[in-house]
Amino acid sequence: MHHGHDEQPLNPLPTVVWLLAAPIIVTEILFALGGTGALGPQAMGWRLAILGQLGFDPAGFRQMAEIGLWSVPDLARLVSYAFVHLSLTHAAMVVVFILAIGKFVGEVFPGWAVAAVFLGSTVTGALVYALMPFTQMMLIGGYPGAYGLIGAFTWVLWMRLGPGNPVRMRAFSLIGMLAGIQLLFGALFGIGPDWIAEFSGFGAGFLISFFVAPGGWRHLLHKLRKR
């Protein structure tokens, strides 16, 4: 008789989820060690130095677009900004989103599709952020990519509820709650323009899911043909 002794109490996270979270965790460990002075006095300023090198500068990107002169390091910032953070708390919140939402999405999507959602949303969030002429603050942190995973999470719920379901819009409850929290914090403490990148990341994650989810593209074509 099988007594379930071989069953794991927690389902393991998909490998791709750890691969997305690992650079954030590793950099925070290095920043923490550097802050103690254990790695030498020069390491005390690692966070600021790395943020300057890897953060996404919207004004600089607009300038590159105007003159048509692109550099690989600057284009790499479209992705690299997602793996560095302003503080341990900032990084920890992003990692929680990646692990929790990524686990759900990774149980439905193949690994490459989870990565495509996260990275595609990261890039889209930065591009939309740069398109806003008033954005000057450097974009830092993995929230746009994490919101992209929330977009994929929403897509899965939306598909499961199916067309014609009167409660189908409940699939958007999580992003609605996050939008409400953003508004509340904005009213109480003020808010920077990085929400533009975050919600653009959500929209990108939702749309990308049609192309990378198992059966997603076929479902979209079926819907279009029915119309």
Side-chain angles (χ1 to χ4, degrees):
M1 183 186 297
H2 177 65
H3 296 286
H5 294 301
D6 296 330
E7 293 179 4
Q8 295 176 310
L10 295 173
N11 292 327
L13 287 167
T15 302
V16 67
V17 175
W18 282 118
L19 290 176
L20 292 173
I24 301 172
I25 296 170
V26 170
T27 53
E28 285 304 317
I29 291 172
L30 290 175
F31 291 155
L33 289 173
T36 65
L39 301 179
Q42 75 282 355
M44 299 285 285
W46 272 358
R47 187 184 294 273
L48 283 177
I50 295 297
L51 292 181
Q53 292 173 4
L54 301 184
F56 178 73
D57 177 14
F61 187 85
R62 287 193 292 269
Q63 186 176 22
M64 282 195 305
E66 287 173 6
I67 63 178
L69 184 61
W70 305 94
S71 71
V72 172
D74 286 324
L75 288 174
R77 290 172 181 256
L78 287 165
V79 173
S80 64
Y81 79 89
F83 299 100
V84 291
H85 295 79
L86 298 170
S87 66
L88 175 60
T89 303
H90 186 202
M93 291 298 294
V94 170
V95 168
V96 166
F97 270 114
I98 292 174
L99 297 184
I101 306 298
K103 179 182 185 299
F104 178 91
V105 176
E107 290 173 349
V108 179
F109 289 20
W112 67 267
V114 176
V117 167
F118 183 87
L119 297 176
S121 301
T122 295
V123 172
T124 301
L127 290 175
V128 174
Y129 185 76
L131 284 173
M132 303 296 114
F134 55 83
T135 53
Q136 300 295 329
M137 291 175 54
M138 189 171 281
L139 187 61
I140 293 167
Y143 272 122
Y147 270 55
L149 292 176
I150 294 171
F153 168 85
T154 302
W155 184 89
V156 172
L157 295 181
W158 186 74
M159 292 291 286
R160 283 181 177 174
L161 289 171
N165 193 316
V167 297
R168 197 178 197 192
M169 293 306 293
R170 288 187 185 176
F172 293 87
S173 296
L174 178 56
I175 193 63
M177 181 185 69
L178 290 172
I181 293 172
Q182 290 267 24
L183 286 173
L184 178 62
F185 271 78
L188 294 175
F189 309 110
I191 191 169
D194 48 352
W195 64 268
I196 296 169
E198 293 166 5
F199 287 98
S200 298
F202 169 82
F206 187 85
L207 293 175
I208 290 170
S209 296
F210 280 101
F211 299 92
V212 301
W217 177 243
R218 290 193 301 273
H219 176 80
L220 179 60
L221 287 177
H222 178 66
K223 293 285 289 182
L224 291 173
R225 285 167 182 160
K226 283 180 68 176
R227 291 184 179 182

